[in-house]
Amino acid sequence: MLRLTELRLPLDHSPQALAQAICERLNISADALEHYSVFKRGHDARKRVAIKLVYAVDCTVKDEAAVLARYRAAHPKDNHVQPSPNMEWVPPITNGAELAAKPGYKRPIVIGAGPCGFMAALVLARMGLRPLLLERGKVVRERTVDTFALWRRSELTPESNVQFGEGGAGTFSDGKLFSQVKDPRFLGRKVLEEFVKAGAPEDILYLAHPHIGTFRLVSMVEHIRREVEEAGGEYRFQTRVDGLVLNPQTRAVEGVRTADGEVIDSDHVILAVGHSARDTFAMLQAEDVAMQAKPFSIGVRIEHPQSVIDVAQFGPSAGNELLGAAEYRLVHHASNGRGVYSFCMCPGGTVVAATSEEGQVVTNGMSQYSRAERNANSGIVVELRPGVDYPEDPLAGMAFQRKWERKAFEAGGGDYRAPAQRVGDFLAGRPSTTLGDVVPSYKPGVTPTDLSTCLPDFVVEALREALPKFDRKIRGFAMEDAVMTGVETRTSSPLRIPRNEAGQSINTPGLYPAGEGAGYAGGILSASMDGIRIAEAVALDMAGKPVTLPPR
């Protein structure tokens, strides 16, 4: 089988055009093409009046070796035709059930039921190792009820919300499934295939920027839980881990201690908590687990009419079904030395309340699969630096987040409404007293105010410089009535838990930091991929085999 990349066709091409393009690329007749399938489809909208669909396809042809040799001879510097790579995932051990049947077997523990945790549990369960997954929050359906209570009635449940519960923070998001992480083993493809098996739409396998949407994510994580349990794994919800049991001489993990005092023995503990498990990070620091301060970013959510973004990005092709709701990605290097960039852009979505602690306001973005809501929203955030903006202490970034989240809570009125401001007012340096044509989507509501009261001065300065620059790239981005809602603080973990080449904490053997909370991922796909890698490391160690994680 051959893989062809960079096949470019008009947006309105005929059904036969792709097969014709394959034949033309390979210089073969139509009857020599036996079969083809789309591996990836994206688009090139740099010329809005002539948008192209860009395909990568896998195909089988007659006399494949001869066709490939002829192509390479004619195009020696062209790598757009190659043998299709083997993307099959192979379990690192095959005797997991045998290991689990031995007397005194200690199950591996996974802490956290987000994408990293549930994929780690799924891989371990399929290898027969009977993992135990501990989740501080509730099952996804109950968690959804609690989350809606905050959005509709300003009632926060600290252990069950956008951040905590089955599915992790990604459950209430756009469900984006693309990553810039290098993936030579095609673990990302395995993740997508598992998601499709669990009920995700099949188009995530070939779209360049696939997404699922919240409602489908809910049923998907339920399906994965059933698979884990049917394979011998176990979930325990509303079970917060409050301590580690460590060997006093070696510091090796011997188990965990839950909030109700139960001690569960295990020599292999995967720490897959998200970036908002602040009490867990404090516990780890108290246990002297090595941690490092890490850069992250804060800013606001900005909303525009989706139609404005569609026209700016796609011109006369705006609204085309193949293109869907337009996205954007923006970066500006401000004169104060700060990077400003768009984050977690949600086409046709809503801004959501994402706090996990009382007396604080945090925003995030969410879309359904249809991306059919009126507004587009995105985080517009500014880089922070440990040792410059807050101390190098690993927990200092969390304290910095909390400071501005409390200020946002106060500026919003003290009832989980969020502070909001028109872009025109923000750029002019005046508070907003009313809002304009763009209706903010944040629930339980917003309070027009001055966002400069709940953001650091250097963030405000960088945002005011960046917005007009972004308007040059996307016409209408700095429109007067666009709405900014604060604050966006949970862009990534403010710390990293360093691990060695075996995937374990550098000073706490048997503890496997993983995923976004540990500083090794930045979204659903990369967190899921890291969960697979760490599950493999655990399985190899349990089988007594050498472990060396490939570089990230």
Side-chain angles (χ1 to χ4, degrees):
M1 184 177 293
L2 299 177
R3 176 162 297 166
L4 282 60
T5 58
E6 289 295 312
L7 288 170
R8 294 171 174 268
L9 295 172
L11 188 58
D12 58 351
H13 71 75
S14 69
Q16 298 80 28
L18 186 53
Q20 293 170 357
I22 294 170
C23 294
E24 289 174 6
R25 171 73 64 84
L26 297 176
N27 193 23
I28 60 175
S29 61
D31 61 358
L33 176 62
E34 296 178 337
H35 173 77
Y36 74 90
S37 61
V38 175
F39 175 72
K40 195 70 66 181
R41 189 192 77 201
H43 62 262
D44 182 349
R46 287 174 294 181
K47 295 182 179 179
R48 291 180 298 166
V49 296
I51 296 175
K52 300 287 188 180
L53 294 178
V54 184
Y55 289 90
V57 301
D58 289 325
C59 63
T60 55
V61 300
K62 295 176 181 177
D63 298 322
E64 178 180 301
V67 170
L68 180 59
R70 185 170 64 246
Y71 185 87
R72 286 177 170 173
H75 307 86
K77 297 182 179 181
D78 184 345
N79 62 357
H80 294 318
V81 177
Q82 298 286 342
S84 296
N86 180 10
M87 296 182 291
E88 181 182 3
W89 179 79
V90 179
I93 68 171
T94 57
N95 62 335
E98 178 184 331
L99 293 172
K102 291 182 177 180
Y105 174 72
K106 296 179 182 178
R107 291 184 293 177
I109 290 175
V110 179
I111 304 175
C116 179
F118 67 62
M119 282 304 299
L122 181 63
V123 168
L124 291 169
R126 287 198 176 150
M127 287 189 286
L129 293 170
R130 300 194 295 109
L132 172 61
L133 192 151
L134 306 177
E135 167 56 49
R136 68 189 296 165
K138 298 180 182 179
V139 297
V140 68
R141 299 283 174 176
E142 294 178 22
R143 173 197 182 194
T144 300
V145 172
D146 293 335
T147 299
F148 284 2
L150 173 62
W151 296 351
R152 295 169 179 171
R153 301 190 299 276
S154 297
E155 297 173 3
L156 173 67
T157 303
E159 294 292 308
S160 181
N161 45 63
V162 166
Q163 306 296 346
F164 299 141
E166 184 179 19
T171 304
F172 298 97
S173 71
D174 192 47
K176 298 177 187 66
L177 296 175
F178 51 93
S179 170
Q180 296 182 4
V181 174
K182 292 181 179 179
D183 188 18
R185 295 177 56 213
F186 299 100
L187 293 183
R189 181 72 176 189
K190 174 173 174 55
V191 171
L192 297 180
E193 289 173 350
E194 293 295 342
F195 285 5
V196 169
K197 291 178 186 176
E202 290 192 8
D203 63 13
I204 67 172
L205 294 175
Y206 64 83
L207 290 179
H209 286 180
H211 72 284
I212 299 179
T214 290
F215 288 161
R216 295 196 182 203
L217 275 163
V218 167
S219 59
M220 191 192 79
V221 299
E222 289 179 318
H223 186 280
I224 290 175
R225 182 196 341 140
R226 289 193 297 271
E227 280 216 35
V228 171
E229 292 172 338
E230 289 170 1
E234 179 185 355
Y235 278 65
R236 293 189 192 175
F237 293 99
Q238 296 178 266
T239 303
R240 188 179 71 243
V241 173
D242 275 359
L244 301 176
V245 180
L246 303 178
N247 183 292
Q249 280 76 45
T250 65
R251 285 190 52 81
V253 168
E254 296 182 343
V256 301
R257 185 176 296 106
T258 67
D260 61 6
E262 180 184 7
V263 173
I264 306 173
D265 294 338
S266 180
D267 299 328
H268 298 83
V269 175
I270 297 177
L271 185 72
V273 298
H275 55 42
S276 294
R278 293 167 170 173
D279 48 3
T280 302
F281 298 140
M283 176 272 289
L284 295 172
Q285 187 179 59
E287 299 279 12
D288 291 325
V289 174
M291 296 190 292
Q292 304 167 341
K294 180 179 89 47
F296 64 103
S297 303
I298 69 171
V300 298
R301 278 270 148 188
I302 190 167
E303 289 188 89
H304 304 85
Q306 181 63 49
S307 58
V308 169
I309 305 301
D310 289 344
V311 171
Q313 296 291 75
F314 296 149
S317 295
N320 186 288
E321 185 177 350
L322 290 176
L323 296 175
E327 306 174 47
Y328 57 77
R329 185 180 178 194
L330 298 166
V331 178
H332 173 69
H333 299 284
S335 57
N336 66 0
R338 305 288 178 160
V340 187
Y341 61 96
S342 59
F343 169 79
C344 186
M345 195 269 158
C346 297
T350 56
V351 179
V352 300
T355 187
S356 54
E357 296 181 341
E358 295 179 344
Q360 297 173 9
V361 161
V362 181
T363 62
N364 195 10
M366 184 181 85
S367 295
Q368 300 300 344
Y369 178 69
S370 64
R371 290 179 166 175
E373 299 294 331
R374 178 183 301 176
N375 290 351
N377 78 81
S378 175
I380 302 295
V381 296
V382 178
E383 296 173 335
L384 304 178
R385 304 165 186 160
V388 176
D389 302 312
Y390 51 90
E392 291 279 2
D393 178 87
L395 303 189
M398 296 190 317
F400 191 89
Q401 290 172 325
R402 280 179 167 138
K403 171 184 175 180
W404 299 105
E405 291 168 9
R406 283 194 297 271
K407 287 182 177 293
F409 181 79
E410 295 163 0
D415 56 1
Y416 297 105
R417 285 177 295 158
Q421 192 171 12
R422 294 168 64 246
V423 165
D425 292 334
F426 178 78
L427 293 176
R430 59 177 179 256
S432 287
T433 56
T434 60
L435 299 176
D437 291 338
V438 180
V439 179
S441 59
Y442 178 95
K443 304 296 182 187
V446 303
T447 299
T449 186
D450 183 354
L451 285 173
S452 68
T453 65
C454 47
L455 290 169
D457 289 344
F458 68 86
V459 171
V460 173
E461 178 185 357
L463 290 174
R464 284 181 174 151
E465 180 181 318
L467 289 172
K469 301 291 186 183
F470 292 162
D471 192 76
R472 296 178 186 176
K473 299 177 180 178
I474 299 178
R475 187 178 299 276
F477 200 85
M479 61 187 292
E480 288 280 320
D481 283 353
V483 176
M484 301 166 63
T485 306
V487 289
E488 175 95 16
T489 54
R490 311 280 180 96
T491 53
S492 65
S493 181
L495 56 84
R496 175 172 285 116
I497 306 173
R499 62 194 187 195
N500 59 26
E501 64 179 8
Q504 302 180 39
S505 161
I506 60 172
N507 75 336
T508 310
L511 181 67
Y512 293 79
E516 193 159 353
Y520 293 97
I524 294 173
L525 187 63
S526 59
S528 299
M529 292 163 59
D530 203 52
I532 296 174
R533 288 155 45 91
I534 292 300
E536 292 175 325
V538 167
L540 287 168
D541 191 68
M542 295 182 76
K545 297 181 178 181
V547 183
T548 302
L549 283 183
R552 291 180 68 247

